[in-house]
């Protein structure tokens, strides 16, 4: 026990300036004394209130909320991927496509298409275990020495593109060796008199041909293999790949039959001329021609003027011939031109366009491209939002006449949804360049609806037949390889706030969402 003299007062020292130098210490001691005088219940109540305030403060901090929401969404994409992969692994391992309802698989080329298409997605999502087992399959099982006909375009964008991008991301030479193998096996496609490649190649026999019913190739197909073969030449030091695909671009550049930069859908492999002229669309059979004009220009470090000129002219052609507004909501949409007649038909495939326009604007092309991109992505989102399932049909018809009560009509034959990526892809570009959170929100809604209507409980996701009937969307029993290669990858990139996660200043995505490096200088 202290003597009373030391218990009842605190000694204070007055400084020169007149303040008490130990006043802080005095206050602290006084608080402590008050705290000790409180009952246990009072102390607990105060501590509880402080904790509550702290938790509420943290939980309502906008930055933290944004961070957590971002993490939750990224994890939801990883979870969706794992679920899709579970189905593929259990029922379709090493085969082209999962049939999730019948718990079996479908074969197209017999080359493990889904697995190869998904490699770089797993790498980007950080799914190391899944990636390691897939790599093992590529190392041990994948062989291109097979007597099989493959489509040049599809195997270039999915297999060659997938292997090349995985090589670039991982530095693992296994993928480069496989890319060289398939790349050289596809080369017979270019042995035509016109230099316009055949659509099909037998990668075992080294022979190539057109489809049985025609000697035409599809314009989008012959003009959307360039990013991949140019990259292969750069990696191997062998110019033959690049020369073959650039010859196609040169010839298409000079061809008659375009309308304001818009191309027909078919080209003949014998004479190298456009066929079936008069139909102009940004959808199936022409779509990625426009995408690759811009992307080759970007890949080659913005030096190939003909590509840029053709792209700019085509965008003007779209504005002049294909754009219209719907009623009642005044949505800007891209229709088609058929022998001079406008059709308000828009494929879901056209929804790559907002992303491509935004990418061009990012690379210094006219600012009105970005404005158009913003209008079109709104339309693509509405193609989802206005359907009963919240999922887009394969093809939409927009109403343009006064008095319409809905913008979009869907024909019975067009009500299916194949888990396509284009809208999510464009949402990703628009979000990267504008940072407008509404694009992430729209993507989140779409992901929820994929989960609601296309997720198969035993593993995998399925295409559906009817986006207009939530009670009976009718599964088609097929998970396309691009769902893992593209759709889920673009969801992940959309929900990520890291601009360096596949920087758009370093990489250009091929039309199957496989990132390839932009060349540091012209080559
Ligand atoms: C993919 O194979 C590619 O994105 C291609 O350009 C178009 N079709 C599918 C996805 O819809």
């Amino acid at each position: 026990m202290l003597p009373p003299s030391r218990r009842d007062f605190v000694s204070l020292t007055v400084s020169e300036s007149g303040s008490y130098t130990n006043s802080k210490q005095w206050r602290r001691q006084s608080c402590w004394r008050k705290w000790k005088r409180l009952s246990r219940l009072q102390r607990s109540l105060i501590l509880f209130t402080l904790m509550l305030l702290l938790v509420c403060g943290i939980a309502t901090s906008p930055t933290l909320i944004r961070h957590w929401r971002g993490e939750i969404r990224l994890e939801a994409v990883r979870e969706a991927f794992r679920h899709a992969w579970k189905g593929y692994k259990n029922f379709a391992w090493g085969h082209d496509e999962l049939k999730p309802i019948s718990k079996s698989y479908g074969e197209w080329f017999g080359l493990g298409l889904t697995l190869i298409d998904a490699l770089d997605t797993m790498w980007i999502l950080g799914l190391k275990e899944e990636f390691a087992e897939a790599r093992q399959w590529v190392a041990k099982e994948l062989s291109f020495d097979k007597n099989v006909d493959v489509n040049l375009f599809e195997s270039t964008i999915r297999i060659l593109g997938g292997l090349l991008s995985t090589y670039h991301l991982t530095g693992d030479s296994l993928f480069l060796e496989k890319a060289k193998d398939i790349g050289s096996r596809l080369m017979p496609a270019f042995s035509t008199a016109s230099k316009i490649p055949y659509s099909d190649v037998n990668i075992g026999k080294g022979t190539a041909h057109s489809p049985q019913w025609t000697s035409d190739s599809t314009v989008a197909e012959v003009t959307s293999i360039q990013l991949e073969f140019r990259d292969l030449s750069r990696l191997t030091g062998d110019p033959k790949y690049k020369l073959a695909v650039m010859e196609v671009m040169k010839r298409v550049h000079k061809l008659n039959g375009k309308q304001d930069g818009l191309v027909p859908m078919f080209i003949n492999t014998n004479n190298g001329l456009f066929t079936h002229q008069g139909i102009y669309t940004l959808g199936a059979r022409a779509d990625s021609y426009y995408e690759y004009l811009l992307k080759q220009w970007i890949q080659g470090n913005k030096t190939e003027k003909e590509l840029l000129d053709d792209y700019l002219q085509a965008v003007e052609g779209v504005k002049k011939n294909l754009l219209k507004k719907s009623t009642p909501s005044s949505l800007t949409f891209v229709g088609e031109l058929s022998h001079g007649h406008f059709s308000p038909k828009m494929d879901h495939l056209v929804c790559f366009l907002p992303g491509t326009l935004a990418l061009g604007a990012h690379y210094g092309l006219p600012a009105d491209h970005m404005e158009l991109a913003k209008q079109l992505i709104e339309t693509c989102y509405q193609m989802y939002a206005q359907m009963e399932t919240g999922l887009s049909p394969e093809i939409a018809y927009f109403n343009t006449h006064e008095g319409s009560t809905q913008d979009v009509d869907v024909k019975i034959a067009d009500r299916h949804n194949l888990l396509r990526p284009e809208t999510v892809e464009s949402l990703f570009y628009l979000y990267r360049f504008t940072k407008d959170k509404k694009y992430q929100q729209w993507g989140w809604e779409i992901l929820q609806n994929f989960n609601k209507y296309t997720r198969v409980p035993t593993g995998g996701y399925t295409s559906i037949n009817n986006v207009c009937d939530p009670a009976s969307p009718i599964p088609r029993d097929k998970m396309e390889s691009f769902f893992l290669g593209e759709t889920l990858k673009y969801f992940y990139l959309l929900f990520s706030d890291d601009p360096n996660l596949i920087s758009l200043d370093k990489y250009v995505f091929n039309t199957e969402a496989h990132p390839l490096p932009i060349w540091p200088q012209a080559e």
Side-chain angles (χ1 to χ4, degrees):
M1 185 80 167
L2 289 168
S5 55
R6 293 194 54 194
R7 246 191 298 145
D8 291 341
F9 71 91
V10 176
S11 86
L12 304 174
T13 321
V14 181
S15 71
E16 273 175 29
S17 60
S19 68
Y20 298 114
T21 53
N22 57 354
S23 64
K24 269 189 199 155
Q25 192 186 351
W26 179 82
R27 267 199 306 272
R28 227 180 281 136
Q29 284 174 353
S30 145
C31 281
W32 181 240
R33 235 181 281 123
K34 281 182 193 152
W35 172 254
K36 291 194 79 173
R37 270 191 226 123
L38 295 175
S39 72
R40 186 175 277 188
L41 178 71
Q42 284 171 319
R43 280 191 232 162
S44 307
L45 271 172
I46 290 172
L47 280 176
F48 177 75
T49 313
L50 284 174
M51 286 299 286
L52 199 69
L53 286 173
L54 189 72
V55 169
C56 290
I58 291 172
T60 52
S61 145
T63 326
L64 277 168
I65 287 180
R66 269 200 300 277
H67 177 74
W68 281 337
R69 189 190 292 146
E71 284 306 314
I72 287 168
R73 290 176 175 180
L74 291 172
E75 187 47 38
V77 183
R78 277 189 222 106
E79 193 281 327
F81 186 98
R82 281 195 208 99
H83 183 77
W85 194 246
K86 180 176 116 185
Y88 179 72
K89 201 176 153 183
N90 287 344
F91 311 122
W93 185 249
H95 297 285
D96 282 343
E97 284 154 346
L98 168 67
K99 295 173 83 157
I101 304 290
S102 54
K103 300 193 183 72
S104 60
Y105 58 83
E107 221 62 296
W108 190 5
F109 309 141
L111 296 173
L113 209 55
T114 293
L115 188 148
I116 300 176
D117 224 357
L119 284 167
D120 58 2
T121 304
M122 289 183 265
W123 187 260
I124 291 167
L125 269 57
L127 300 173
K128 293 191 177 140
E129 272 175 37
E130 291 82 351
F131 180 84
E133 41 184 17
R135 185 203 179 275
Q136 186 78 348
W137 183 86
V138 173
K140 297 261 155 61
E141 308 289 337
L142 178 61
S143 167
F144 296 123
D145 192 10
K146 277 190 169 174
N147 178 7
V148 60
D149 273 0
V150 303
N151 174 282
L152 170 69
F153 164 73
E154 298 291 357
S155 48
T156 299
I157 64 169
R158 301 184 199 214
I159 300 176
L160 179 58
L163 292 167
L164 287 170
S165 73
T166 308
Y167 168 68
H168 286 294
L169 295 177
T170 62
D172 184 338
S173 60
L174 166 71
F175 300 107
L176 178 57
E177 291 312 312
K178 294 289 179 189
K180 283 187 207 166
D181 190 12
I182 185 69
S184 57
R185 287 172 186 273
L186 292 173
M187 288 305 282
F190 296 92
S191 54
T192 59
S194 67
K195 304 289 178 204
I196 302 301
Y198 291 120
S199 59
D200 296 283
V201 191
N202 186 303
I203 53 172
K205 289 190 194 156
T207 54
H209 57 90
S210 297
Q212 272 171 357
W213 59 92
T214 175
S215 52
D216 293 344
S217 285
T218 297
V219 170
E221 292 195 357
V222 301
T223 55
S224 312
I225 48 179
Q226 281 66 16
L227 293 176
E228 300 80 357
F229 280 99
R230 283 156 53 112
D231 190 61
L232 188 59
S233 270
R234 191 161 172 263
L235 287 170
T236 57
D238 185 341
K240 73 175 177 210
Y241 308 107
K242 177 179 169 175
L243 291 175
V245 292
M246 292 319 289
E247 188 59 35
V248 182
M249 293 315 295
K250 277 187 203 145
R251 292 188 181 224
V252 172
H253 172 74
K254 287 191 204 136
L255 274 186
N256 292 326
K258 293 180 200 154
Q259 172 143 355
D260 303 312
L262 304 176
V263 289
M265 298 192 290
F266 296 98
I267 186 163
N268 190 274
T269 51
N270 294 327
N271 60 23
L273 301 176
F274 287 131
T275 64
H276 300 82
Q277 295 196 37
I279 300 179
Y280 300 97
T281 172
L282 265 277
R285 299 190 182 278
D287 48 359
S288 43
Y289 161 73
Y290 304 101
E291 180 187 349
Y292 268 38
L293 287 175
L294 178 77
K295 289 183 171 179
Q296 286 174 80
W297 176 70
I298 293 172
Q299 180 192 40
N301 216 325
K302 299 183 279 176
T303 52
E304 294 150 292
K305 195 172 165 305
E306 280 185 1
L307 295 167
L308 177 63
D309 289 347
D310 286 354
Y311 176 73
L312 290 172
Q313 202 196 351
V315 175
E316 292 311 306
V318 170
K319 287 197 245 171
K320 183 175 162 195
N321 299 288
L322 304 182
L323 286 188
K324 275 222 173 16
K325 298 261 187 200
S326 70
T327 44
S329 313
S330 205
L331 301 171
T332 305
F333 68 94
V334 185
E336 295 184 356
L337 206 57
S338 176
H339 306 287
H341 295 289
F342 180 82
S343 161
K345 164 181 180 269
M346 181 163 158
D347 294 353
H348 182 274
L349 287 169
V350 181
C351 290
F352 81 93
L353 186 60
T356 298
L357 287 168
L359 180 65
H362 174 71
Y363 272 96
L365 302 189
D368 71 330
H369 288 203
M370 186 52 129
E371 290 318 305
L372 180 55
K374 288 180 184 170
Q375 290 172 25
L376 289 175
I377 191 61
E378 167 91 42
T379 306
C380 290
Y381 167 64
Q382 289 300 330
M383 284 167 66
Y384 285 71
Q386 294 195 10
M387 295 301 116
E388 289 82 345
T389 55
L391 291 175
S392 171
E394 178 72 357
I395 300 172
Y397 286 82
F398 284 85
N399 284 316
T400 52
H401 47 270
E402 258 179 55
S404 308
T405 50
Q406 56 182 44
D407 296 276
V408 184
D409 279 337
V410 186
K411 299 197 169 166
I412 290 177
D414 305 331
R415 289 176 171 185
H416 48 292
N417 179 297
L418 304 184
L419 312 169
R420 284 198 192 275
E422 291 76 17
T423 296
V424 188
E425 168 186 356
S426 284
L427 286 171
F428 155 64
Y429 284 104
L430 266 290
Y431 180 68
R432 266 283 165 100
F433 298 135
T434 67
K435 290 280 164 271
D436 187 336
K437 294 276 171 196
K438 80 177 174 203
Y439 299 124
Q440 286 185 324
Q441 183 54 33
W442 291 353
W444 183 238
E445 288 168 25
I446 294 171
L447 179 61
Q448 311 284 308
N449 292 323
F450 275 132
N451 275 328
K452 201 163 168 192
Y453 296 107
T454 72
R455 188 173 161 114
V456 180
T458 43
Y461 287 74
T462 177
S463 304
I464 54 171
N465 262 331
N466 190 356
V467 295
C468 304
D469 187 354
S472 180
I474 313 171
R476 282 171 86 116
D477 196 17
K478 182 163 171 175
M479 184 174 79
E480 301 273 354
S481 80
F482 52 68
F483 184 62
L484 301 191
E486 296 195 69
T487 313
L488 291 180
K489 184 188 290 148
Y490 282 131
F491 269 127
Y492 192 81
L493 293 170
L494 166 65
F495 298 144
S496 166
D497 276 307
D498 179 2
N500 295 316
L501 182 62
I502 317 294
S503 161
L504 290 172
D505 295 315
K506 293 190 180 137
Y507 292 95
V508 61
F509 286 88
N510 86 340
T511 192
E512 189 76 6
H514 298 303
L516 300 173
I518 295 169
W519 306 341
Q521 68 250 332
E523 285 176 19

